[in-house]
Each structure stands twice: as C-alpha cells, then as structure tokens.
Amino acid sequence: MGTDTREHPPIYRDVVEELGDVPGDVAATAETVLRETEAAVFGNRAPAPAVEGA
C-alpha cells in the first residue's frame, strides 16, 4: 500500500486499517496500466497530449 499525505476522517482510517486502501491501490494500478499501455501502443513515440475537458 502507498502512503498518502492527506488527512482522512477517523472512520476512513479505521476502514483502511481493516481492509486496506482500495481506492489508493486502484489508482496506483490504473497509473501503471496506463503507462504500460502507452508504451505498448506508442513504443518510442510520445503519445498525444491529453485534451483538457475531454
């Protein structure tokens, strides 16, 4: 599990202690999958920049 510098309400902290930081783990996994997918699709070429509001 990653560490997060934001403060959460006590109930959230208790749930994270009991079940783990599922949203944080999902976000980290999504970032990894995105990087791996971009590398597979674009290879050495840079992907197009993200369009704001899309």
Side-chain angles (χ1 to χ4, degrees):
M1 280 183 279
T3 57
D4 193 345
T5 58
R6 296 175 294 177
E7 288 294 319
H8 294 288
I11 187 68
Y12 183 82
R13 184 184 64 240
D14 294 344
V15 170
V16 168
E17 287 177 10
E18 185 176 330
L19 302 173
D21 186 8
V22 174
D25 293 344
V26 169
T29 300
E31 287 291 328
T32 300
V33 169
L34 178 61
R35 283 192 306 274
E36 291 174 355
T37 302
E38 286 178 343
V41 171
F42 297 108
N44 291 332
R45 298 177 295 139
V51 177
E52 196 66 30

